[in-house]
Amino acid sequence: MEIDGQLIKRRAVFSKAVRDLGPWHAVSEDAAAALSARHRRKVVDDSLRLIDDLTNRPLDPLFSDARLTQQKQRSKFSTWFTRIIVFIICIAVGFVGIVFVRQLNTDPRRQVRASLISELQAQNASLKKTTTEVTDLHTKVSRLSDSMPNAGPDSTLTQDEMTNGALAVKGSGIVVTLADPVASGTANGNGPRENNANHIRVVTDSDLQNIVNLLWKAGAEAISVNGYRLGVSTSVRTAGQTILIGVNQVASPYKIEAIGNQKNLSQAMDNDSQPGLYRTLNAAGINPQVSRSYSLRLPAAQATGVTHAKRSK
Amino acid sequence: MGDKKNRNILSSMHIQHAQDRENDRTDTGSFPIVRQRPKKMGGGLVSRLMTSLLIVLLCALLGFGYAIQLNNKTSTYETMSEEELTRLISETSTQVQNLQQRKTELTGQLNSLKAAANKQQEAQRIAKENEDTSGILSGRLPAVGKGVIITISQGSKERIDAATMFQLLEELRNAGVEVMALNHVRVVTSTYITETRKSLECDGQILKPPYRVKAIGDPQNLQNAVNIAGGVGSRFKVKFGAKVTVTPSESVDISETRDAEQYQYAKTVE
């Protein structure tokens, strides 16, 4: 549409869609006859016209026209005032949401559990303390007795203590690493009674037991899981959804270090020799990684005494 | 004739067209004429950049938070139930008690070693004592003491598998067992259990049912470890249809021994 001899394209009313509408009025018979068949169909077919309007021109041209013009300028104060109000409302909604979620998650026994947890932590602290004391005393005693004339280091004792995992050792071996599938990351963050492990499988204590068992069979000489050495009385087990090595909690990723013949060990942990194990683990999205290492250092296991058993002969 | 009609139509169309133009006029005067697209409110390049920067920042924060959540390893105790916590506390306290005892033992040794007139003799005595302790633990020496005897019959539903058997050993270890023997195999640190085609195999020896586990340790704790609800004992019963009996005994005699292994790869660290 031309105004002042200049083409204005911006306004919706002057757009092609509107221009193509064509005149809309009663046509005399003669005039209708004169129009081409194609044009007549275009103009006369009411229902098609309606559909066309609905799909191609959903907005009234005048309305979209109005949208193009400058909005009434609001004052800076009112703009910022609205923004602040909206911000406050957002915060309030978020806060109330959090309060609700917390309310729904409240555990009536939380207090009891909190006191149990603090007791457990105190126990663990004293366990740690006593362990270091015992290790200290042990080294003192053995140093003293070794320093005696004609009583060098006792080879039988050393061998026994190696077998029991009571001595820190180093050597070459393999490292098996396995981690929970990423999708199950939230499984640990739920309440104690929700058992999300049913939906997505995570690494369980029996998986670790299985691998440890296999490594012992393959002739491993010393094994540690996440830095906790397996001694004669160290167990791999679960409490709730937490895996414990002895009394120490471990979490994914699990790193099992084993000292021994690298070839035998990695062969035993091979995909080919353990097809069943790998099939179930892979199906759950757990991919054990086996790597060789030439310098593994495993700490000593938790020291244990003997109180009930006596030498029988 | 035709020419006239044509002209007639043409002029009528002309008039019609003029009318249409008048009727279809959209220049209502309600809206000012716009000659160019109005400027967006503050929609400059800078603000666009700021918006994308903000989005990038928020995405980064989200990713960071997610990674932290994934690696959150603290306060795993929070997820345990009361029963589990109580059990863990009692187990830990047993361990602490054991260690305390060991501590007094060692302190006594140290003091007597310092005070003894004949230091060499005393040192030998202590070395012998320690050797006995670690020899009993390592399976080199036979042992006797109070504990339990666990008998597990052949499974009536299916054959008992190695994993469950291994789990039993782990549960007993956890309950503070000191010396164990499975059938005629002394259980040590490196004991493994596997399945052969017909039976279980433990440390290279065939195990035949009924399985018999001799364990020296606190009988009450050991009994609990097997019989706890949902524990390994009920697994034997439910899954395999095996009969499990736990008999406490004042004197469990474990005469099975084994030679200490010669280690090739592991070396002690000072």
Side-chain angles (χ1 to χ4, degrees), chain A residues 153-173:
Chain A
D154 191 332
S155 71
T156 325
L157 184 64
T158 313
Q159 211 164 45
D160 280 347
E161 289 188 331
M162 287 268 274
T163 315
N164 297 340
L167 295 175
V169 289
K170 59 181 177 182
S172 61

Side-chain angles (χ1 to χ4, degrees), chain A residues 68 113 124 150 154 213 249, chain B residues 38 76-77 80 120 131 193:
Chain A
L68 274 174
R113 298 203 307 131
N124 275 340
N150 59 29
D154 191 332
N213 196 19
Q249 297 181 58
Chain B
T76 25
Y77 289 134
M80 293 188 189
Q120 203 172 331
E131 213 177 283
I193 298 172

